[in-house]
Amino acid sequence: MSRRKRSSPVLKKAVRRAAGMDSIDPNLDVGNGLTLPAFSTLIETMRTKENAYNSALSNVDKLYREMLQTERELGDMTEHMLMGVGTRYGKSSVEYGMAGGVPKSQRRRGLRGESSTSSSQQPSFVLSVDGNENGKKQAVTS
């Protein structure tokens, strides 16, 4: 999974405009503090921030991939540790239960796919008794 890097359309537009304005006058000043040098400085600030953001995303993606790999390794080792305890002490031992396994003597025998809750605990649904469809409120008329 890789996060999408950002490419600012506003930055692209500003760069094009600044290039055009630079051909008018490299020190263009249209008043109220709106100068081409100030505009160019803000463009560079935006470019720097966009690059920093995209670099940070790359680092986050790398860390995420590394974390997922470590998580897979941890899952495998967790399973192997339990199997090791089962091999050393037996799957019916207290130690196996202490390590997180279910000792053979405590396993529930049941059909595959059978839920641990009984079927009598299924939720019951009550249909609307006022003839009102889909639970919509009836308009109040006065």
Side-chain angles (χ1 to χ4, degrees):
M1 176 186 152
S2 181
R3 286 170 177 72
R4 190 169 179 190
K5 304 300 185 276
R6 191 161 194 298
S7 178
S8 172
V10 173
L11 177 60
K12 289 179 183 178
K13 184 177 184 178
V15 168
R16 283 193 309 271
R17 290 215 175 141
M21 290 175 193
D22 188 59
S23 66
I24 297 171
D25 178 1
N27 294 310
L28 183 66
D29 185 341
V30 294
N32 294 326
L34 300 173
T35 65
L36 187 54
F39 189 41
S40 296
T41 299
L42 190 55
I43 287 170
E44 286 309 309
T45 300
M46 176 59 193
R47 184 176 284 136
T48 300
K49 292 197 182 286
E50 183 179 68
N51 289 339
Y53 174 80
N54 288 334
S55 293
L57 281 184
S58 294
N59 289 331
V60 167
D61 288 341
K62 179 180 180 245
L63 289 171
Y64 182 70
R65 286 190 304 272
E66 290 172 355
M67 181 192 68
L68 291 179
Q69 176 60 36
T70 303
E71 185 178 44
R72 282 190 293 273
E73 292 171 13
L74 180 60
D76 288 346
M77 189 169 185
T78 300
E79 185 178 344
H80 289 131
M81 291 295 291
L82 180 61
M83 289 190 307
V85 170
T87 300
R88 175 171 275 184
Y89 297 100
K91 288 189 174 182
S92 296
S93 69
V94 172
E95 291 83 359
Y96 187 70
M98 290 169 65
V102 178
K104 281 185 173 181
S105 60
Q106 293 180 9
R107 288 189 191 149
R108 182 174 166 257
R109 299 249 183 234
L111 298 174
R112 282 189 173 182
E114 185 178 297
S115 168
S116 62
T117 60
S118 68
S119 60
S120 65
Q121 293 179 349
Q122 293 293 325
S124 60
F125 296 97
V126 179
L127 295 175
S128 174
V129 292
D130 61 5
N132 179 357
E133 292 185 39
N134 296 330
K136 294 179 186 172
K137 292 185 179 180
Q138 292 179 340
V140 177
T141 55
S142 11

